[in-house]
Amino acid sequence: MQVRVPPMLADLVVAAISAAEGVEFSKNARCHLCGGKVRAHDMKKRLFARIRGRQGEKEVVVWVKRFHCTECGTLCTADAPFYPDTRVGSPVVDLCLVLTEEHTVNHAARLLSEMGVVMDRGSVRNYAARRAGPVPSTLLYGLRLPNSLLSLIPVAVGRYEGGAVPGTEVLRACGFPSADRTPLHPLRRKEGDERDEEEEKEKRETEKVTDRGHEDRSQEDEETQGEPSRDATSRTA
């Protein structure tokens, strides 16, 4: 059955996504890979969504702070509402997953367009194929919408009342706890990601062992140079 999107629902979806416009995400206390201390690097603009409203099509972008790990040298990012290997914000991905649970990819893509979300069918199909589990959702106006998207509506209302929206508030609404680094993961990882991470981890461990070996040898050389040789001591005596 072909479902239509009421104009009021489309306005709610666009308003919810717009709540993230220009929000800065700068919280990061440790490296995502090794847990080491990090230092600030720069702020990077990232696409959160493309939407089409009454004033035309626009990009909703956010700012994500990047850090350098002082332990392993990895360039990591602040906590932000994005799943790994995705090009848009997590609530938009959640919306794709929820719609494709009950509708075909083509119909889901059409519903997204009617809601004012600009996304091609290929991306919708890609996210649907990587589904790892159900996404919490709520029935509204005859359609299921992800709770992460609906939770942004109060944030949007607060934004219209004035004042900057804290990144932690958007993270919380999207289901990313600000107290730790354990966001929801409704997508399967792309094939090869686990292998790449293991190889990278082994490489870092090898480099650490090599560095420790160099340090130990350097220390032994310094100790040897600081002591008189046994032959020279014997001749002196």
Side-chain angles (χ1 to χ4, degrees), residues 215-229:
E215 291 175 0
D216 293 341
R217 285 195 296 273
S218 298
Q219 185 175 357
E220 290 175 359
D221 291 342
E222 290 177 359
E223 291 175 353
T224 301
Q225 291 175 2
E227 295 178 356
S229 66

Side-chain angles (χ1 to χ4, degrees), residues 124-198:
V124 178
R125 184 179 295 105
N126 176 51
Y127 294 141
R130 292 176 55 197
R131 185 195 315 278
V135 175
S137 61
T138 301
L139 187 65
L140 188 65
Y141 294 106
L143 282 167
R144 288 209 163 270
L145 298 181
N147 293 345
S148 58
L149 182 67
L150 295 176
S151 296
L152 284 175
I153 295 176
V155 179
V157 172
R159 184 182 196 106
Y160 295 146
E161 293 176 352
V165 176
T168 51
E169 189 173 342
V170 176
L171 282 172
R172 194 178 305 112
C174 294
F176 285 69
S178 59
D180 55 38
R181 299 199 54 78
T182 315
L184 302 175
H185 287 290
L187 297 177
R188 291 197 306 271
R189 300 178 66 86
K190 286 186 177 179
E191 185 177 357
D193 284 353
E194 293 88 348
R195 182 174 61 254
D196 292 342
E197 281 193 6
E198 287 299 322

Side-chain angles (χ1 to χ4, degrees), residues 10-31:
D11 290 342
L12 282 175
V13 170
V14 169
I17 294 175
S18 298
E21 172 65 32
V23 172
E24 294 185 2
F25 300 96
S26 57
K27 179 180 173 59
N28 187 2
R30 61 188 186 273
C31 176

